[in-house]
Each structure stands twice: as C-alpha cells, then as structure tokens.
Amino acid sequence: MTVLVLGGAGYIGSHAVDRLVQKGYDVAVVDNLVTGHRAAVNPKARFYEGDVRDQKFLNDVFDKEDIEGVIHFAAFSVVPESMEKPLKYFDNNTAGMVSLLEVMNKHNVKRIVFSSTAATYGEPKQIPIKETDPQIPTNPYGESKLMMEKIMHWSDQAYGIKFVALRYFNVAGAKEDGSIGEDHHPETHLVPIILQVAAGERKELSIFGDDYPTKDGTNVRDYVHVVDLADAHILALEYLKAGHDSNAFNLGSSTGFSNKEMLEAARKVTGKEIPAKMAPRRAGDPSTLIAASDKAREVLNWQPQFDNVEDIIRTAWNWKQTHPQGYNDRETK
Ligand code: NAD
Ligand code: UDP
C-alpha cells in the first residue's frame, strides 16, 4: 500500500516524504511544481507532475497506485497575496480539496491528513490557542483553509472519509544534514529572511512593528521544526489507520518567541551581525500566536525533538550555507 503526498515537492511536503521513506513507507508524490522543487523529492518516491484540480490526471494516479491514505500539502499560503487575490486561493486551495475528495471517494480511499494552519483562528481570544477555540480567519488564505476543514467534515459525514486537520503554527528549520530545506520565491517568512541577511543577500531585516502589547513590542510566534512537523503527519496517518475518528490538532511548541528574540537567536547561531531596522506593522499580523499543543502530544503521542529555537535556526542556517541558491532551479521550472 502507498501513501500519496500531494504537494510533496514543497518545503514541508518534501520533509514529510523524506521521513515516510526513511520509516519504510511506499510513497507517491503529486505536485505541479508551482512553488515546489523536483529536486526536493526523495528519489525513492514515485513522482507525478500535475495539478490537484485536474481530475483526469488525479484519477489516473489513483488508478495506478494502491493508496492507503493521502497527505495533502498542496496549496498557496502567502497571506498578503491572498488579500489581493482571494479567488486564486479559493480556486487552488478550496476547489483543489473538492477535486481531491471526489477522486478519493470514487476510489474508496477514506483517509486524509491535511495541512491546516493557525491562520484559521484569526485574532485569538486567549493564549495559548486551543483546538476548540473559535475559528474566525482574518484573511482569505485562512478562510480557504477553514473551508477545506469544513468540506472534509461534511465529506466524512456523507462518505465516511476520515480526516486529521493539523493546524501548524510557525514552521522553520531544515533536515539536519542540510540536503533539503526552505526555498520560496518570494520568501516571506521571518527565519529564512533573517538568514538571507546573515548571508549578505539582503541588506537588513525589517521588523514589522514594535508597538504590540508583548514583552518587547514585537510579535510573538510559536516555532516548530519542520522534521517534527513531518513526523506528526505520519502519527496522524497511523491514528486514522487504527480506526479513530476525524480530529484536529495544533502543532506548535507552546512557547512564544518575539521577533526581536528570533533576531538575537539568529545572531548567536550564525555569529553574524544581521542589521535590522524597525518598520511599520504588516497588515493582518496578530500580536501573539502560541499553540496549546498538549492534545497532539497526548492523543497522537507526538514527541517533538527540537525544543529550542536556536536548534531550529541552526538547521535552517546549515541548509542556507550549503545551498546559497536554494535548489537553484528557477529557470528550469
Ligand atoms: P510550499 O509552497 O513550499 O509547498 C506547497 C506545494 O504544493 C508546492 O510544492 C506546490 O508546487 C504544490 N502545489 C500547490 N498547488 C498545487 C496544485 N493545485 N496541484 C499540485 N500541487 C500544488 O508550502 P509549504 O510551506 O511547504 O506549506 C505546505 C502546506 O502547509 C500548505 O498547505 C500551507 O498552507 C501549510 N502551512 C504552512 C505553514 C508554513 O509556515 N510554511 C504554516 C501553516 C500551514
Ligand atoms: N516578520 C518581520 N519581518 C519580515 C518577515 C516577517 O518582522 O521580513 C514578522 C512578521 O510580521 C511576524 C513574524 O515575523 O510577526 C512571523 O512572520 P512569518 O511571515 O514568518 O509567519 P506568520 O506568523 O505570518 O505565519
């Protein structure tokens, strides 16, 4: 039996494929390479280039492969872009989910593990954020993901397709050996941007806002290592295989770091000065996002290995130093 990973050429998906292969699973990947990289996919996984919304293509893949479960990473995820182009997000993310569930149902594949996000909660009412807290997204990206969760809920009711929604907080880091890592164009996430400054590719870091009601005025976020995150997907798949009901889990560390603290940690890890300046707030940034993540630890038996941000940054820096141009495939895509 095969695990089908949609979006397996992306940052998080490629780490999940790698972990699945390491743990002995048979893996197939579907990706249209719109933001992903062919070179990121472990060579032991079979690769199908195509779009989740292309039902003919997807049906062919499901005909060829004997699929025991699906892990679905394929989506757009840049919040400011979603504010300007909401339909692009509802089309790729939300309509993509409808297409996938139709094909899964047709082929009697009844298990899906899904990349959800802290962005489905919107501005939190309390910290840490619990899975049962209200989900009121403040941007189309978060809305598209919340709609995907709801579509899975109703598909469970109607067709018995069981799901686990994993709501990630801030994902960072890279595989320890530096062979795969984060390579987004444009890059919008804090850790890789800080490391671009450390590497001399950017002049300085702009810290978006220092007047938030936090310990030092900058936003506070909860960082989780990409390999720990990848492992949670495997546990979620096994949880469904054991016959458990659909569920949702936060994936975070339950610890918050401010943007200034992240900068200091990166200065320490890299030994570089990393020039930074204060800049205006970025629209739509909640002040503080910290996960209550005991549910994943208790129910899935998730045991993250990386419990401090310096270790997370160190692995991202190792990837950055060994791959200054990322996968260096922009012209071939
Ligand atoms: P990514 O852009 O690196 O990976 C997404 C992958 O999906 C890419 O390889 C892309 O080519 C592929 N893809 C997109 N649309 C597709 C389509 N229609 N058909 C086939 N393939 C398609 O992103 P990532 O950072 O690895 O994020 C993966 C998932 O995790 C996304 O769903 C994102 O919403 C979610 N997420 C990410 C973060 C984070 O911090 N990176 C946080 C919360 C949630
Ligand atoms: N951030 C920043 N400068 C940057 C990029 C990000 O100050 O160049 C801040 C951003 O405003 C937020 C935090 O870093 O407070 C994390 O942002 P990121 O985009 O990495 O993740 P998000 O929390 O938005 O999912």
Side-chain angles (χ1 to χ4, degrees):
M1 297 288 278
T2 298
V3 179
L4 180 66
V5 182
L6 302 130
Y11 167 47
I12 302 168
S14 60
H15 286 80
V17 169
D18 191 65
R19 291 298 282 171
L20 282 160
V21 167
Q22 277 178 37
K23 287 176 185 276
Y25 290 83
D26 185 69
V27 184
V29 170
V30 159
D31 200 298
N32 64 3
L33 301 180
V34 63
T35 56
H37 308 272
R38 182 66 185 86
V41 181
N42 186 299
K44 292 211 172 106
R46 290 178 296 289
F47 183 76
Y48 297 92
E49 184 171 346
D51 196 299
V52 175
R53 293 162 297 177
D54 179 348
Q55 285 206 342
K56 184 178 174 313
F57 158 75
L58 211 52
N59 267 310
D60 286 348
V61 174
F62 276 72
D63 281 341
K64 280 197 198 110
E65 300 286 350
D66 186 15
I67 297 167
E68 61 171 335
V70 160
I71 307 183
H72 184 32
F73 295 97
F76 291 137
S77 57
V78 180
V79 170
E81 184 191 51
S82 82
M83 298 293 280
E84 284 167 25
K85 299 176 182 168
L87 299 181
K88 179 175 171 181
Y89 280 68
F90 295 121
D91 178 22
N92 197 49
N93 299 1
T94 315
M97 176 63 92
V98 175
S99 168
L100 171 61
L101 289 170
E102 279 176 346
V103 175
M104 284 177 65
N105 193 37
K106 187 173 161 197
H107 289 79
N108 208 28
V109 175
K110 302 286 189 186
R111 298 178 196 116
I112 175 168
V113 177
F114 168 61
S115 298
S116 191
T117 166
T120 60
Y121 293 112
E123 188 67 54
K125 299 273 180 302
Q126 58 171 9
I127 295 293
I129 303 169
K130 293 200 186 72
E131 286 86 351
T132 47
D133 285 352
Q135 288 177 288
I136 309 168
T138 51
N139 55 64
Y141 163 61
E143 190 78 65
S144 75
K145 289 271 165 169
L146 180 57
M147 290 165 85
M148 293 161 90
E149 285 198 11
K150 289 184 173 172
I151 291 166
M152 288 190 299
H153 166 76
W154 292 113
S155 297
D156 179 6
Q157 304 290 302
Y159 315 122
I161 298 177
K162 300 292 171 198
F163 69 92
V164 169
L166 297 175
R167 299 179 189 146
Y168 318 156
F169 280 65
N170 287 62
V171 189
K175 187 179 175 184
E176 283 265 23
D177 71 359
S179 59
I180 48 176
E182 187 164 11
D183 183 10
H184 289 130
H185 301 276
E187 190 50 76
T188 60
H189 291 128
L190 181 65
V191 170
I193 287 178
I194 288 177
L195 297 182
Q196 285 175 348
V197 181
E201 290 169 25
R202 279 182 196 241
K203 201 163 104 293
E204 60 191 355
L205 170 73
S206 295
I207 297 181
F208 299 141
D210 63 354
D211 57 350
Y212 288 95
T214 59
K215 44 192 160 186
D216 60 22
T218 64
N219 285 161
V220 170
R221 294 290 181 269
D222 178 343
Y223 291 85
V224 56
H225 193 273
V226 66
V227 175
D228 284 332
L229 194 80
D231 285 347
H233 292 73
I234 301 175
L235 293 170
L237 185 66
E238 290 301 330
Y239 168 89
L240 290 176
K241 279 165 70 176
H244 295 295
D245 219 344
S246 296
N247 216 332
F249 300 93
N250 289 340
L251 295 180
S253 69
S254 307
T255 314
F257 288 87
S258 76
N259 294 340
K260 276 188 185 164
E261 286 174 333
M262 291 302 284
L263 174 63
E264 283 312 320
R267 283 175 171 154
K268 197 168 156 200
V269 168
T270 63
K272 306 280 182 185
E273 187 197 343
I274 314 183
K277 63 168 187 198
M278 286 309 172
R281 289 182 174 201
R282 189 174 69 174
D285 272 340
S287 172
T288 299
L289 292 175
I290 300 173
S293 59
D294 29 315
K295 185 178 169 189
R297 285 166 171 77
E298 283 160 20
V299 179
L300 297 178
N301 195 25
W302 185 49
Q303 293 168 342
Q305 301 301 305
F306 289 85
D307 58 4
N308 76 69
V309 289
E310 283 178 23
D311 283 343
I312 294 177
I313 294 169
R314 181 178 48 73
T315 61
W317 182 231
N318 184 33
W319 156 254
K320 181 77 199 156
Q321 286 185 299
T322 51
H323 297 78
Q325 306 296 320
Y327 292 100
N328 201 15
D329 59 354
R330 290 185 71 184
E331 62 293 337
T332 58
K333 279 213 279 161

